[in-house]
Amino acid sequence: MRVQTKLTSLLLFIGIALMAARYLYQTFENQRVYSLFQEDIREKEIYFTKLMVLKGVNLKTLSTDYTYWDEMVDFVHGGKSMTWAKQNMDETVLGAYQTDAIWVYRLDLSLAYTIKGERAAGLKDFPLSGEAVRDIFLKKRLCHFFVNTEAGLMEVRGATIHPTADNDRQTPPQGYFFTGRLWNKGYTDELADLIGGEITVEKTKQAVPGFKTFLETNTIIFSKELDDWKGGPVAYLDVRIYSQQMEGYKKSSRNAMATFIIFLAVIVVVITIFMTTSLSMPFGFISQALKKENPVHLRPLERDTSEFGDISRLIYRFFQQREDLIREVAERKKAEMRFQQVVEAAEEWIWEVDSDGLYTYSSAVVEKILGYKPEEIVGKKYFYDFFLPEDREYMKKEALEAVAARQPFKNFVNRNLHKDGHVIWLDTSGTPVFDEKGAFFGYRGVDTDVTERKKAEEGLKEAYIKLKEIQEQLIQAEKLNAVGQLASGVAHEVRNPLAIILQGVDFLESKIPPSSGDIFEVLAMLRENIKRADKIINDLLDFSRAAHLNLAPSDLGLVLETSLDLVKTRFRFDNIVIEKEIKKDIPLILADKNRLEQVFINILLNSIQAMPEGGKVTVRSYDKKLEEIRNGIGKRAQDSFYFGERAAIVEIEDTGCGIPEENLKKIFDPFFTTKGQSGSGLGLSVSRNIIHMHRGLIHAESTPGKGTKVTVILKLAERA
Amino acid sequence: MTKKKRILVIDDEADFTKLIRLNLEQTGKFEVKTENRGSAALAAAKAFKPDLVLLDILMPDLMGSEVAAQMKEDDDTKNIPVIFLTAVVGREEVVQRGGVIGGHLFVAKPVDIKQLIEAIDENIR
């Protein structure tokens, strides 16, 4: 409900309340007046009764004084004459006692004397019968009653007659005495004058009107019953007394009420004016301003010093602020839209996480990148949930350390798992976010899908390695080709003369007689040296031919076993123990079996030759993750193995004479030998070439006097 | 007495062919003819009709492999067994391969006359 309506209602209510108050006041006032005037009315009645008694006192005096008198006794007994009666009960007596008639009866109820005044002239007899008179005095000596006569209503007083000495009327009555006064208009008017009202004699009892009539007419009305000799009503007096007091009271009450109403009306008017000017109008302005959302309507209240002024100024400010706010919101919306459009259009995943790393925002593009909808991420996933399981722990640790330091990070490349399980490379940059108070509440950042780039990089890297390998192989092949050509040339050019010499030796041996001992010995020396020269050429050819490998997945254990068998069948080493620690179930390696056998035979022969006095050769093979740092293992393109790659390892360890440190570095160099004329110096060099061709590694460790260990590291056919 | 086996030795090294001939002939089992030019090898084989040919691979005018190919194409010579003599392949390798390289018999130079005779005996018809 509107305040103005409320105010109007309030005024209406006040009006109604005032009317009700007035009504109630009137009611209470009436009751008060009633209680006030009830006493007055009663007093008036008493007064009237007393007045009646007072007016009747002459009658009473006459009836009592004339009845204890010896002369009266004498009269009724006939002792006194009629003259006496006429002298003592004449017109003068009637006048003196203001009575209209006297009747004197003897004891036998015969009338002894009667006199009637002028007004009672019409009266014939005593209005009661003799029996009635006897009955009246049967029990009492005095009587007072009213009776209707031909001349009108008469008040009668009577007494029994006794001697003068019997004042108390103890003696038996000697006769009966009555006197009566007619209640004609003159008498009632006289009474009415005395009480200041009106009196009428009615035959029947008149209804006495209620208090209301009294209030309306200011007249006290009551009825007085007049009884006959038996005590029953014979007539009623209707008495009306006009109350001046009442009229005055009513007048003053009316005046008071009028004053009160005027006062109230003035108050209501004042309140109405006050409410209209001080409440309703300001409310109207404010309401108008608020309804029309226009502060112009508040102008009348601009300089108002009341609370309405404060409120209107507040509203005015509110409108201004609201306008600013609307403008700001619109601008923000625009900015947000711009941001959203950029975010939507961006290929990059834009995100926000809280201080625990839980996503609080994610742009929609994440579905394209990781396969998850933003609603599957926000409030549900932590940034490290997407890391690849094997990366997760240390990456999480690293990332959380950065978060703890509140540091921005850039281009943090990490591997993540797409919803469907494939690997996604992300390039992540983020910056810590603080609220206005400077409290840290998370990170905001961008992820770029760099999987394709990574793949390309990997491809490029692989291609580069391959290229490098091919290049190396080419260089090697080129080198070996040159060496090969040279070796072939040398082989051809040297072996042909050797073949001729050998045929010559054969021929000569067949021609000389068996007794020529020295000649045989010389020919045998020639034959041995031809073979030695041939072996050098053989090694040279081996060295040059390492360029060509027939690679196939091979069982390293089997290659080692074959090599050992070949060594055993071709060389005698009764005093050498060979111990095998060949691990089963090593993954297959990628190798040219024959070439690899050549390598192991070479190493084994070197070991055997290092132990002329006997000893032990341990042949060990196993697979493992390469985690030691050494030449050839790492991230460089020229490295054969990456750090952590699984590979096959062969160790051949002897208890021989060992190799001095200065020689250890040269043992793989071509033509390096410590065997004097028995070695070509190409065996280990060829072996190293073969191993390198396999993209493997070979190295030797040695303690002079204790033994040598040669380790070969080979690639597995499938990368683990 | 069995008929002597006819061996044709083709090698550009005249000294070598001469000594091979002497060594083979003195066993009394072989009749040996030599030829030092690859280009003349086919004609020599057609004329001599050997039971076996010892053929050098690396020859200046015509390679032994080509001579062998010519012989395979000629009806007169196509069934004559050929043992290649080579200085390029090492003796051990030839032995390791059981004397067969690329489907042909090989004997590495320098060769023992005993080994050569064994090879000839094994392969002659």
Side-chain angles (χ1 to χ4, degrees), chain A residues 492 495-496 500 502-503 506-507 510-511 527 531 534 538 541 545, chain B residues 19-20 23 26 58 87-91 93 109-113:
Chain A
H492 187 256
R495 270 176 176 157
N496 277 322
I500 294 163
L502 189 58
Q503 289 307 312
D506 283 341
F507 180 73
S510 69
K511 290 293 172 192
R527 188 184 296 279
K531 281 186 179 170
D534 184 44
N538 253 340
L541 284 170
R545 282 192 189 129
Chain B
L19 279 166
I20 284 284
N23 280 330
Q26 73 176 354
L58 220 59
V88 179
V89 181
R91 218 177 347 177
E93 194 176 339
K109 288 183 185 174
V111 63
D112 265 350
I113 194 65

PDB file of all heavy atoms in Angstrom, chain A residues 492 495-496 500 502-503 506-507 510-511 527 531 534 538 541 545, chain B residues 19-20 23 26 58 87-91 93 109-113:
ATOM      1  N   HIS A 492      95.262 -57.780 -54.094  1.00  0.00           N
ATOM      2  CA  HIS A 492      95.487 -58.322 -55.430  1.00  0.00           C
ATOM      3  C   HIS A 492      96.954 -58.287 -55.830  1.00  0.00           C
ATOM      4  O   HIS A 492      97.520 -59.269 -56.265  1.00  0.00           O
ATOM      5  CB  HIS A 492      94.643 -57.527 -56.437  1.00  0.00           C
ATOM      6  CG  HIS A 492      94.682 -58.098 -57.804  1.00  0.00           C
ATOM      7  ND1 HIS A 492      95.432 -57.546 -58.835  1.00  0.00           N
ATOM      8  CD2 HIS A 492      94.094 -59.200 -58.333  1.00  0.00           C
ATOM      9  CE1 HIS A 492      95.294 -58.279 -59.913  1.00  0.00           C
ATOM     10  NE2 HIS A 492      94.455 -59.314 -59.630  1.00  0.00           N
ATOM     11  N   ARG A 495      98.934 -60.540 -53.114  1.00  0.00           N
ATOM     12  CA  ARG A 495      98.631 -61.965 -53.074  1.00  0.00           C
ATOM     13  C   ARG A 495      99.084 -62.691 -54.344  1.00  0.00           C
ATOM     14  O   ARG A 495      99.460 -63.858 -54.284  1.00  0.00           O
ATOM     15  CB  ARG A 495      97.136 -62.181 -52.876  1.00  0.00           C
ATOM     16  CG  ARG A 495      96.798 -62.255 -51.410  1.00  0.00           C
ATOM     17  CD  ARG A 495      95.336 -62.375 -51.237  1.00  0.00           C
ATOM     18  NE  ARG A 495      94.948 -62.536 -49.851  1.00  0.00           N
ATOM     19  CZ  ARG A 495      93.765 -62.235 -49.379  1.00  0.00           C
ATOM     20  NH1 ARG A 495      92.852 -61.721 -50.177  1.00  0.00           N
ATOM     21  NH2 ARG A 495      93.506 -62.441 -48.118  1.00  0.00           N
ATOM     22  N   ASN A 496      98.966 -62.010 -55.484  1.00  0.00           N
ATOM     23  CA  ASN A 496      99.417 -62.667 -56.710  1.00  0.00           C
ATOM     24  C   ASN A 496     100.892 -63.054 -56.641  1.00  0.00           C
ATOM     25  O   ASN A 496     101.223 -64.215 -56.877  1.00  0.00           O
ATOM     26  CB  ASN A 496      99.096 -61.817 -57.930  1.00  0.00           C
ATOM     27  CG  ASN A 496      97.646 -62.049 -58.374  1.00  0.00           C
ATOM     28  OD1 ASN A 496      97.173 -63.193 -58.316  1.00  0.00           O
ATOM     29  ND2 ASN A 496      96.954 -60.990 -58.748  1.00  0.00           N
ATOM     30  N   ILE A 500     102.405 -66.804 -56.476  1.00  0.00           N
ATOM     31  CA  ILE A 500     103.483 -67.288 -57.354  1.00  0.00           C
ATOM     32  C   ILE A 500     104.599 -67.896 -56.510  1.00  0.00           C
ATOM     33  O   ILE A 500     105.057 -69.002 -56.762  1.00  0.00           O
ATOM     34  CB  ILE A 500     104.024 -66.139 -58.234  1.00  0.00           C
ATOM     35  CG1 ILE A 500     102.905 -65.703 -59.205  1.00  0.00           C
ATOM     36  CG2 ILE A 500     105.291 -66.559 -58.982  1.00  0.00           C
ATOM     37  CD1 ILE A 500     103.133 -64.347 -59.836  1.00  0.00           C
ATOM     38  N   LEU A 502     104.386 -69.038 -53.485  1.00  0.00           N
ATOM     39  CA  LEU A 502     103.936 -70.272 -52.843  1.00  0.00           C
ATOM     40  C   LEU A 502     103.978 -71.456 -53.825  1.00  0.00           C
ATOM     41  O   LEU A 502     104.417 -72.561 -53.472  1.00  0.00           O
ATOM     42  CB  LEU A 502     102.512 -70.080 -52.287  1.00  0.00           C
ATOM     43  CG  LEU A 502     101.996 -71.198 -51.418  1.00  0.00           C
ATOM     44  CD1 LEU A 502     102.910 -71.441 -50.216  1.00  0.00           C
ATOM     45  CD2 LEU A 502     100.580 -70.896 -50.917  1.00  0.00           C
ATOM     46  N   GLN A 503     103.491 -71.158 -55.094  1.00  0.00           N
ATOM     47  CA  GLN A 503     103.548 -72.219 -56.104  1.00  0.00           C
ATOM     48  C   GLN A 503     104.995 -72.642 -56.351  1.00  0.00           C
ATOM     49  O   GLN A 503     105.316 -73.824 -56.499  1.00  0.00           O
ATOM     50  CB  GLN A 503     102.909 -71.739 -57.414  1.00  0.00           C
ATOM     51  CG  GLN A 503     101.393 -71.593 -57.343  1.00  0.00           C
ATOM     52  CD  GLN A 503     100.714 -72.833 -56.857  1.00  0.00           C
ATOM     53  OE1 GLN A 503     101.005 -73.958 -57.333  1.00  0.00           O
ATOM     54  NE2 GLN A 503      99.835 -72.691 -55.864  1.00  0.00           N
ATOM     55  N   ASP A 506     106.097 -74.755 -53.506  1.00  0.00           N
ATOM     56  CA  ASP A 506     105.520 -76.094 -53.692  1.00  0.00           C
ATOM     57  C   ASP A 506     106.307 -76.883 -54.740  1.00  0.00           C
ATOM     58  O   ASP A 506     106.634 -78.062 -54.541  1.00  0.00           O
ATOM     59  CB  ASP A 506     104.056 -75.976 -54.146  1.00  0.00           C
ATOM     60  CG  ASP A 506     103.133 -75.625 -52.998  1.00  0.00           C
ATOM     61  OD1 ASP A 506     103.534 -75.820 -51.806  1.00  0.00           O
ATOM     62  OD2 ASP A 506     102.000 -75.112 -53.225  1.00  0.00           O
ATOM     63  N   PHE A 507     106.600 -76.197 -55.846  1.00  0.00           N
ATOM     64  CA  PHE A 507     107.307 -76.854 -56.937  1.00  0.00           C
ATOM     65  C   PHE A 507     108.684 -77.321 -56.490  1.00  0.00           C
ATOM     66  O   PHE A 507     109.081 -78.448 -56.726  1.00  0.00           O
ATOM     67  CB  PHE A 507     107.401 -75.900 -58.147  1.00  0.00           C
ATOM     68  CG  PHE A 507     108.112 -76.494 -59.322  1.00  0.00           C
ATOM     69  CD1 PHE A 507     107.488 -77.487 -60.101  1.00  0.00           C
ATOM     70  CD2 PHE A 507     109.413 -76.102 -59.661  1.00  0.00           C
ATOM     71  CE1 PHE A 507     108.162 -78.041 -61.170  1.00  0.00           C
ATOM     72  CE2 PHE A 507     110.073 -76.677 -60.732  1.00  0.00           C
ATOM     73  CZ  PHE A 507     109.454 -77.652 -61.504  1.00  0.00           C
ATOM     74  N   SER A 510     108.790 -80.273 -54.289  1.00  0.00           N
ATOM     75  CA  SER A 510     108.583 -81.550 -54.979  1.00  0.00           C
ATOM     76  C   SER A 510     109.819 -81.992 -55.767  1.00  0.00           C
ATOM     77  O   SER A 510     109.941 -83.145 -56.127  1.00  0.00           O
ATOM     78  CB  SER A 510     107.364 -81.449 -55.903  1.00  0.00           C
ATOM     79  OG  SER A 510     107.665 -80.582 -56.984  1.00  0.00           O
ATOM     80  N   LYS A 511     110.714 -81.021 -56.020  1.00  0.00           N
ATOM     81  CA  LYS A 511     111.857 -81.336 -56.878  1.00  0.00           C
ATOM     82  C   LYS A 511     113.118 -81.719 -56.100  1.00  0.00           C
ATOM     83  O   LYS A 511     113.985 -82.416 -56.625  1.00  0.00           O
ATOM     84  CB  LYS A 511     112.171 -80.128 -57.795  1.00  0.00           C
ATOM     85  CG  LYS A 511     111.131 -79.892 -58.871  1.00  0.00           C
ATOM     86  CD  LYS A 511     111.125 -81.021 -59.893  1.00  0.00           C
ATOM     87  CE  LYS A 511     109.937 -80.851 -60.865  1.00  0.00           C
ATOM     88  NZ  LYS A 511     109.758 -82.077 -61.679  1.00  0.00           N
ATOM     89  N   ARG A 527     107.203 -70.528 -46.710  1.00  0.00           N
ATOM     90  CA  ARG A 527     105.764 -70.829 -46.663  1.00  0.00           C
ATOM     91  C   ARG A 527     105.073 -70.095 -45.476  1.00  0.00           C
ATOM     92  O   ARG A 527     104.036 -69.460 -45.643  1.00  0.00           O
ATOM     93  CB  ARG A 527     105.589 -72.351 -46.507  1.00  0.00           C
ATOM     94  CG  ARG A 527     104.142 -72.815 -46.642  1.00  0.00           C
ATOM     95  CD  ARG A 527     104.024 -74.310 -46.379  1.00  0.00           C
ATOM     96  NE  ARG A 527     104.746 -75.108 -47.355  1.00  0.00           N
ATOM     97  CZ  ARG A 527     104.260 -75.411 -48.559  1.00  0.00           C
ATOM     98  NH1 ARG A 527     103.085 -74.995 -48.920  1.00  0.00           N
ATOM     99  NH2 ARG A 527     104.971 -76.151 -49.390  1.00  0.00           N
ATOM    100  N   LYS A 531     102.197 -67.010 -45.503  1.00  0.00           N
ATOM    101  CA  LYS A 531     100.936 -67.054 -44.755  1.00  0.00           C
ATOM    102  C   LYS A 531     100.750 -65.810 -43.876  1.00  0.00           C
ATOM    103  O   LYS A 531      99.632 -65.287 -43.726  1.00  0.00           O
ATOM    104  CB  LYS A 531     100.863 -68.321 -43.894  1.00  0.00           C
ATOM    105  CG  LYS A 531     100.487 -69.548 -44.713  1.00  0.00           C
ATOM    106  CD  LYS A 531     100.287 -70.758 -43.830  1.00  0.00           C
ATOM    107  CE  LYS A 531      99.897 -71.959 -44.687  1.00  0.00           C
ATOM    108  NZ  LYS A 531      99.931 -73.199 -43.900  1.00  0.00           N
ATOM    109  N   ASP A 534      99.806 -63.012 -45.940  1.00  0.00           N
ATOM    110  CA  ASP A 534      98.422 -63.225 -46.355  1.00  0.00           C
ATOM    111  C   ASP A 534      97.454 -62.818 -45.229  1.00  0.00           C
ATOM    112  O   ASP A 534      96.407 -62.221 -45.470  1.00  0.00           O
ATOM    113  CB  ASP A 534      98.242 -64.702 -46.717  1.00  0.00           C
ATOM    114  CG  ASP A 534      96.852 -64.967 -47.242  1.00  0.00           C
ATOM    115  OD1 ASP A 534      96.360 -64.145 -48.072  1.00  0.00           O
ATOM    116  OD2 ASP A 534      96.210 -65.946 -46.808  1.00  0.00           O
ATOM    117  N   ASN A 538      94.458 -60.213 -45.131  1.00  0.00           N
ATOM    118  CA  ASN A 538      93.119 -60.620 -44.679  1.00  0.00           C
ATOM    119  C   ASN A 538      92.513 -59.615 -43.700  1.00  0.00           C
ATOM    120  O   ASN A 538      91.378 -59.183 -43.853  1.00  0.00           O
ATOM    121  CB  ASN A 538      93.208 -61.972 -43.955  1.00  0.00           C
ATOM    122  CG  ASN A 538      92.635 -63.076 -44.818  1.00  0.00           C
ATOM    123  OD1 ASN A 538      91.879 -62.807 -45.742  1.00  0.00           O
ATOM    124  ND2 ASN A 538      92.998 -64.296 -44.526  1.00  0.00           N
ATOM    125  N   LEU A 541      91.563 -56.488 -45.293  1.00  0.00           N
ATOM    126  CA  LEU A 541      90.302 -56.622 -46.024  1.00  0.00           C
ATOM    127  C   LEU A 541      89.109 -56.606 -45.066  1.00  0.00           C
ATOM    128  O   LEU A 541      88.105 -55.951 -45.321  1.00  0.00           O
ATOM    129  CB  LEU A 541      90.301 -57.926 -46.840  1.00  0.00           C
ATOM    130  CG  LEU A 541      91.139 -57.869 -48.107  1.00  0.00           C
ATOM    131  CD1 LEU A 541      91.275 -59.258 -48.722  1.00  0.00           C
ATOM    132  CD2 LEU A 541      90.528 -56.923 -49.130  1.00  0.00           C
ATOM    133  N   ARG A 545      85.971 -54.035 -44.981  1.00  0.00           N
ATOM    134  CA  ARG A 545      84.646 -54.544 -45.352  1.00  0.00           C
ATOM    135  C   ARG A 545      83.571 -54.337 -44.276  1.00  0.00           C
ATOM    136  O   ARG A 545      82.427 -54.661 -44.494  1.00  0.00           O
ATOM    137  CB  ARG A 545      84.748 -56.040 -45.643  1.00  0.00           C
ATOM    138  CG  ARG A 545      85.340 -56.260 -47.021  1.00  0.00           C
ATOM    139  CD  ARG A 545      85.173 -57.682 -47.415  1.00  0.00           C
ATOM    140  NE  ARG A 545      85.938 -57.895 -48.618  1.00  0.00           N
ATOM    141  CZ  ARG A 545      86.786 -58.871 -48.753  1.00  0.00           C
ATOM    142  NH1 ARG A 545      86.964 -59.722 -47.758  1.00  0.00           N
ATOM    143  NH2 ARG A 545      87.432 -59.017 -49.879  1.00  0.00           N
TER     144      ARG A 545
ATOM    145  N   LEU B  19     103.756 -71.950 -62.989  1.00  0.00           N
ATOM    146  CA  LEU B  19     104.070 -72.747 -61.799  1.00  0.00           C
ATOM    147  C   LEU B  19     102.916 -73.691 -61.451  1.00  0.00           C
ATOM    148  O   LEU B  19     103.134 -74.831 -61.054  1.00  0.00           O
ATOM    149  CB  LEU B  19     104.384 -71.844 -60.607  1.00  0.00           C
ATOM    150  CG  LEU B  19     105.827 -71.287 -60.604  1.00  0.00           C
ATOM    151  CD1 LEU B  19     105.955 -70.152 -59.613  1.00  0.00           C
ATOM    152  CD2 LEU B  19     106.822 -72.406 -60.245  1.00  0.00           C
ATOM    153  N   ILE B  20     101.674 -73.213 -61.641  1.00  0.00           N
ATOM    154  CA  ILE B  20     100.509 -74.073 -61.380  1.00  0.00           C
ATOM    155  C   ILE B  20     100.581 -75.275 -62.320  1.00  0.00           C
ATOM    156  O   ILE B  20     100.368 -76.438 -61.917  1.00  0.00           O
ATOM    157  CB  ILE B  20      99.197 -73.287 -61.616  1.00  0.00           C
ATOM    158  CG1 ILE B  20      98.917 -72.309 -60.450  1.00  0.00           C
ATOM    159  CG2 ILE B  20      97.999 -74.229 -61.819  1.00  0.00           C
ATOM    160  CD1 ILE B  20      98.386 -72.934 -59.177  1.00  0.00           C
ATOM    161  N   ASN B  23     103.305 -77.680 -61.222  1.00  0.00           N
ATOM    162  CA  ASN B  23     102.919 -78.407 -60.008  1.00  0.00           C
ATOM    163  C   ASN B  23     101.851 -79.449 -60.268  1.00  0.00           C
ATOM    164  O   ASN B  23     101.859 -80.541 -59.694  1.00  0.00           O
ATOM    165  CB  ASN B  23     102.435 -77.444 -58.930  1.00  0.00           C
ATOM    166  CG  ASN B  23     103.603 -76.769 -58.181  1.00  0.00           C
ATOM    167  OD1 ASN B  23     104.666 -77.388 -58.054  1.00  0.00           O
ATOM    168  ND2 ASN B  23     103.396 -75.542 -57.744  1.00  0.00           N
ATOM    169  N   GLN B  26     103.238 -82.431 -62.641  1.00  0.00           N
ATOM    170  CA  GLN B  26     104.181 -83.400 -62.041  1.00  0.00           C
ATOM    171  C   GLN B  26     103.500 -84.428 -61.144  1.00  0.00           C
ATOM    172  O   GLN B  26     104.093 -85.401 -60.732  1.00  0.00           O
ATOM    173  CB  GLN B  26     105.310 -82.685 -61.280  1.00  0.00           C
ATOM    174  CG  GLN B  26     104.879 -82.076 -60.000  1.00  0.00           C
ATOM    175  CD  GLN B  26     106.070 -81.466 -59.240  1.00  0.00           C
ATOM    176  OE1 GLN B  26     107.226 -81.628 -59.661  1.00  0.00           O
ATOM    177  NE2 GLN B  26     105.794 -80.801 -58.159  1.00  0.00           N
ATOM    178  N   LEU B  58      90.178 -61.264 -61.090  1.00  0.00           N
ATOM    179  CA  LEU B  58      90.618 -59.908 -61.462  1.00  0.00           C
ATOM    180  C   LEU B  58      91.675 -59.966 -62.558  1.00  0.00           C
ATOM    181  O   LEU B  58      92.833 -60.276 -62.303  1.00  0.00           O
ATOM    182  CB  LEU B  58      91.170 -59.224 -60.193  1.00  0.00           C
ATOM    183  CG  LEU B  58      90.817 -57.752 -60.032  1.00  0.00           C
ATOM    184  CD1 LEU B  58      89.310 -57.562 -60.010  1.00  0.00           C
ATOM    185  CD2 LEU B  58      91.430 -57.209 -58.761  1.00  0.00           C
ATOM    186  N   ALA B  87      92.445 -63.250 -55.281  1.00  0.00           N
ATOM    187  CA  ALA B  87      93.370 -62.625 -54.320  1.00  0.00           C
ATOM    188  C   ALA B  87      92.622 -61.608 -53.468  1.00  0.00           C
ATOM    189  O   ALA B  87      93.139 -61.069 -52.517  1.00  0.00           O
ATOM    190  CB  ALA B  87      94.496 -61.926 -55.083  1.00  0.00           C
ATOM    191  N   VAL B  88      91.396 -61.324 -53.860  1.00  0.00           N
ATOM    192  CA  VAL B  88      90.627 -60.279 -53.156  1.00  0.00           C
ATOM    193  C   VAL B  88      89.976 -60.828 -51.874  1.00  0.00           C
ATOM    194  O   VAL B  88      89.972 -60.177 -50.845  1.00  0.00           O
ATOM    195  CB  VAL B  88      89.564 -59.681 -54.106  1.00  0.00           C
ATOM    196  CG1 VAL B  88      88.756 -58.615 -53.399  1.00  0.00           C
ATOM    197  CG2 VAL B  88      90.241 -59.093 -55.331  1.00  0.00           C
ATOM    198  N   VAL B  89      89.424 -62.032 -51.982  1.00  0.00           N
ATOM    199  CA  VAL B  89      88.825 -62.635 -50.794  1.00  0.00           C
ATOM    200  C   VAL B  89      89.890 -63.404 -50.033  1.00  0.00           C
ATOM    201  O   VAL B  89      90.691 -64.102 -50.626  1.00  0.00           O
ATOM    202  CB  VAL B  89      87.662 -63.583 -51.184  1.00  0.00           C
ATOM    203  CG1 VAL B  89      87.018 -64.191 -49.942  1.00  0.00           C
ATOM    204  CG2 VAL B  89      86.630 -62.841 -51.988  1.00  0.00           C
ATOM    205  N   GLY B  90      89.870 -63.248 -48.716  1.00  0.00           N
ATOM    206  CA  GLY B  90      90.893 -63.879 -47.885  1.00  0.00           C
ATOM    207  C   GLY B  90      90.689 -65.384 -47.808  1.00  0.00           C
ATOM    208  O   GLY B  90      89.583 -65.878 -47.995  1.00  0.00           O
ATOM    209  N   ARG B  91      91.780 -66.061 -47.523  1.00  0.00           N
ATOM    210  CA  ARG B  91      91.729 -67.500 -47.480  1.00  0.00           C
ATOM    211  C   ARG B  91      90.768 -68.010 -46.394  1.00  0.00           C
ATOM    212  O   ARG B  91      89.942 -68.879 -46.642  1.00  0.00           O
ATOM    213  CB  ARG B  91      93.141 -68.054 -47.207  1.00  0.00           C
ATOM    214  CG  ARG B  91      93.362 -69.317 -47.999  1.00  0.00           C
ATOM    215  CD  ARG B  91      94.716 -69.900 -47.875  1.00  0.00           C
ATOM    216  NE  ARG B  91      95.698 -69.047 -47.258  1.00  0.00           N
ATOM    217  CZ  ARG B  91      96.959 -69.499 -47.044  1.00  0.00           C
ATOM    218  NH1 ARG B  91      97.274 -70.731 -47.379  1.00  0.00           N
ATOM    219  NH2 ARG B  91      97.861 -68.727 -46.492  1.00  0.00           N
ATOM    220  N   GLU B  93      88.238 -66.545 -45.068  1.00  0.00           N
ATOM    221  CA  GLU B  93      86.832 -66.286 -45.380  1.00  0.00           C
ATOM    222  C   GLU B  93      86.299 -67.331 -46.347  1.00  0.00           C
ATOM    223  O   GLU B  93      85.175 -67.807 -46.211  1.00  0.00           O
ATOM    224  CB  GLU B  93      86.673 -64.886 -45.964  1.00  0.00           C
ATOM    225  CG  GLU B  93      85.211 -64.449 -45.970  1.00  0.00           C
ATOM    226  CD  GLU B  93      85.003 -63.025 -46.462  1.00  0.00           C
ATOM    227  OE1 GLU B  93      85.966 -62.238 -46.430  1.00  0.00           O
ATOM    228  OE2 GLU B  93      83.863 -62.724 -46.876  1.00  0.00           O
ATOM    229  N   LYS B 109      93.844 -67.007 -53.154  1.00  0.00           N
ATOM    230  CA  LYS B 109      95.296 -66.915 -53.375  1.00  0.00           C
ATOM    231  C   LYS B 109      95.904 -66.300 -52.124  1.00  0.00           C
ATOM    232  O   LYS B 109      95.264 -65.401 -51.555  1.00  0.00           O
ATOM    233  CB  LYS B 109      95.595 -65.990 -54.556  1.00  0.00           C
ATOM    234  CG  LYS B 109      95.263 -66.544 -55.911  1.00  0.00           C
ATOM    235  CD  LYS B 109      95.718 -65.483 -56.897  1.00  0.00           C
ATOM    236  CE  LYS B 109      95.346 -65.812 -58.316  1.00  0.00           C
ATOM    237  NZ  LYS B 109      95.668 -64.706 -59.236  1.00  0.00           N
ATOM    238  N   PRO B 110      97.058 -66.590 -51.647  1.00  0.00           N
ATOM    239  CA  PRO B 110      97.905 -67.684 -52.200  1.00  0.00           C
ATOM    240  C   PRO B 110      97.367 -69.049 -51.771  1.00  0.00           C
ATOM    241  O   PRO B 110      96.859 -69.161 -50.658  1.00  0.00           O
ATOM    242  CB  PRO B 110      99.262 -67.395 -51.578  1.00  0.00           C
ATOM    243  CG  PRO B 110      98.962 -66.660 -50.323  1.00  0.00           C
ATOM    244  CD  PRO B 110      97.702 -65.919 -50.523  1.00  0.00           C
ATOM    245  N   VAL B 111      97.492 -70.019 -52.683  1.00  0.00           N
ATOM    246  CA  VAL B 111      96.882 -71.303 -52.415  1.00  0.00           C
ATOM    247  C   VAL B 111      97.941 -72.405 -52.335  1.00  0.00           C
ATOM    248  O   VAL B 111      98.896 -72.414 -53.102  1.00  0.00           O
ATOM    249  CB  VAL B 111      95.802 -71.593 -53.477  1.00  0.00           C
ATOM    250  CG1 VAL B 111      96.399 -71.700 -54.867  1.00  0.00           C
ATOM    251  CG2 VAL B 111      95.031 -72.846 -53.133  1.00  0.00           C
ATOM    252  N   ASP B 112      97.736 -73.305 -51.375  1.00  0.00           N
ATOM    253  CA  ASP B 112      98.576 -74.517 -51.267  1.00  0.00           C
ATOM    254  C   ASP B 112      98.228 -75.425 -52.419  1.00  0.00           C
ATOM    255  O   ASP B 112      97.064 -75.581 -52.736  1.00  0.00           O
ATOM    256  CB  ASP B 112      98.196 -75.276 -49.977  1.00  0.00           C
ATOM    257  CG  ASP B 112      99.105 -74.917 -48.827  1.00  0.00           C
ATOM    258  OD1 ASP B 112     100.120 -74.244 -49.073  1.00  0.00           O
ATOM    259  OD2 ASP B 112      98.747 -75.269 -47.674  1.00  0.00           O
ATOM    260  N   ILE B 113      99.238 -76.010 -53.025  1.00  0.00           N
ATOM    261  CA  ILE B 113      98.969 -76.891 -54.160  1.00  0.00           C
ATOM    262  C   ILE B 113      98.129 -78.076 -53.701  1.00  0.00           C
ATOM    263  O   ILE B 113      97.256 -78.546 -54.431  1.00  0.00           O
ATOM    264  CB  ILE B 113     100.296 -77.326 -54.874  1.00  0.00           C
ATOM    265  CG1 ILE B 113      99.973 -77.938 -56.247  1.00  0.00           C
ATOM    266  CG2 ILE B 113     101.105 -78.287 -54.028  1.00  0.00           C
ATOM    267  CD1 ILE B 113      99.367 -76.990 -57.230  1.00  0.00           C
TER     268      ILE B 113
END
